[in-house]
Amino acid sequence: MDTPEPRLTSLAHGGGCGCKLAPTVLQDILKGVPQTAPFADLMVGNETSDDAAVWRLNDDQALVATTDFFMPMVDDPFHFGQIAATNALSDVYAMGGRPILALAILGMPVNVLSPRTIGRVLQGGAAACAAAGIPVAGGHSIDSVEPIYGLAVIGLVRPDQVLTNRGARPGDVLLLTKSLGVGVLSAAFKQDRLDKEGYRLLKETTTRLNSFGAELAGRAGVHAVTDVTGFGLLGHALEMARGAGATVELTSRPPVLGDALRLLEEGVRTGASARNWAAYGHEVDGLEAGVVRDLLTDPQTSGGLLIAVAEAEVSALQALARINGCGALPVGRVVDGPARVQVVA
């Protein structure tokens, strides 16, 4: 009789975008890394912590390049592959680009997991890419202690339509295309406290492509876009505030995924939430310890797009979002002031 394989999540010390390095740790690591400014055709590098790099090819095309990978947040290998691939594709969409191909990044404990299980991870990733209309054209694999999967993704965008996280303007409304609480639900899953409906919601939101981002390129009134991932809504809104040199006001009542608030009240949360707050809480006003802070700092694996749009264009953009099968709910606005986040009722 074959020995049962261990749960995927039991093989990893973290999962999903909760694996990301804390913002302060990342900043310390990057201090000695040379800036990329000398390259004339590099339109977007690592200067503003944007979602992907952008390289101008000619007057009509620019290359969007990104990579993203993490450890499992669910036990089903196919779902893990789907989620990780969807998350990686999101970086291209957040720049207004359309993906054209992907390369797989795979690290697996080959003496612990069967070839069939590992193959299912790859099949899940390929399914997400097929939904995006692109191939997984190759990749690289290693034998690693913890399971890791993700993609390097290449996309295209017009150079004059590149979207970044730094173009928001005072007066803009902030729209979010997915509800918050992915980290909470994934933590509940690991603790065997997530019911079937909660798992369905977790899978549905994390495997839903952010392809709406490609529709935003060149659209009037759209000034900045980023996807909300490991640093939580607060952290990515703060990056938008820094890029704009303005204050971002966030609501204390953002859209919530399933029972995430109830689970937070019962003490379910990720360690990444506390690390996030420790890294940037000194740049946030109007927020005390509690479930709202834990929700706004909750790491969002394959989270939604945060869009800064002129107020006059909000209704039209929300209608376009509905046509594209996603929401676009107001979660704040940009106002004159220092580069900080202010949480308001």
Side-chain angles (χ1 to χ4, degrees):
M1 184 176 179
D2 293 337
T3 303
E5 291 186 21
R7 293 176 61 174
L8 278 181
T9 52
S10 73
L11 299 174
H13 74 280
C17 286
C19 297
K20 289 179 73 169
L21 294 176
T24 48
V25 174
L26 183 59
Q27 289 167 11
D28 286 343
I29 292 171
L30 293 176
K31 282 180 180 177
V33 177
Q35 294 297 308
T36 51
F39 297 90
D41 286 318
L42 184 63
M43 298 180 63
V44 181
N46 60 12
E47 295 82 6
T48 58
S49 303
D50 228 311
D51 297 297
V54 181
W55 183 273
R56 185 193 308 272
L57 296 174
N58 50 52
D59 290 342
D60 299 315
Q61 289 183 315
L63 197 72
V64 185
T66 186
T67 182
D68 212 314
F69 52 89
F70 47 62
M71 292 168 281
M73 56 185 285
V74 295
D75 291 324
D76 185 295
F78 189 89
H79 294 169
F80 171 39
Q82 274 186 303
I83 293 167
T86 303
N87 180 74
L89 289 162
S90 183
D91 288 340
V92 172
Y93 292 130
M95 309 300 290
R98 296 184 183 276
I100 57 173
L101 65 85
L103 303 173
I105 300 166
L106 182 73
M108 289 286 155
V110 295
N111 292 328
V112 178
L113 297 175
S114 68
R116 181 184 182 281
T117 295
I118 297 171
R120 289 291 286 168
V121 175
L122 294 174
Q123 290 165 19
C129 289
I134 67 168
V136 180
H140 184 65
S141 59
I142 63 168
D143 183 0
S144 64
V145 176
E146 295 181 287
I148 299 168
Y149 176 70
L151 300 175
V153 188
I154 301 298
L156 293 173
V157 67
R158 285 188 57 87
D160 58 350
Q161 295 182 353
V162 174
L163 297 170
T164 71
N165 65 2
R166 61 179 182 265
R169 307 173 187 177
D172 284 351
V173 174
L174 298 181
L175 302 178
L176 184 64
T177 64
K178 293 185 183 182
S179 298
L180 302 180
V182 169
V184 178
L185 296 191
S186 63
F189 174 80
K190 291 179 183 179
Q191 298 173 26
D192 292 321
R193 297 173 64 176
L194 189 66
D195 59 22
K196 289 183 179 180
E197 175 61 13
Y199 186 83
R200 185 194 69 79
L201 288 171
L202 176 64
K203 176 183 174 295
E204 190 278 330
T205 190
T206 54
T207 58
R208 189 168 74 244
L209 292 169
N210 276 327
S211 52
F212 180 51
E215 304 297 325
L216 302 177
R219 186 169 181 86
V222 175
H223 298 142
V225 179
T226 190
D227 63 341
V228 178
T229 54
F231 299 155
L233 178 59
L234 267 181
H236 294 285
L238 180 59
E239 289 177 343
M240 194 173 278
R242 291 169 181 159
T247 296
V248 165
E249 291 184 345
L250 285 182
T251 178
S252 60
R253 299 178 181 179
V256 181
L257 188 63
D259 288 335
L261 272 182
R262 176 183 62 78
L263 289 165
L264 279 170
E265 290 169 351
E266 294 175 358
V268 178
R269 55 184 47 79
T270 70
S273 179
R275 292 196 299 273
N276 282 341
W277 180 255
Y280 55 64
H282 61 286
E283 297 179 78
V284 177
D285 300 316
L287 192 58
E288 303 294 331
V291 294
V292 173
R293 191 175 86 180
D294 291 334
L295 180 67
L296 292 176
T297 56
D298 186 53
Q300 302 303 290
T301 300
S302 192
L305 299 176
L306 182 64
I307 306 164
V309 58
E311 188 167 13
E313 300 296 329
V314 168
S315 295
L317 196 64
Q318 290 176 317
L320 182 63
R322 288 192 292 272
I323 292 171
N324 281 266
C326 65
L329 296 176
V331 293
R333 61 176 56 248
V334 184
V335 299
D336 288 316
R340 295 178 66 83
V341 173
Q342 171 78 39
V343 179
V344 299

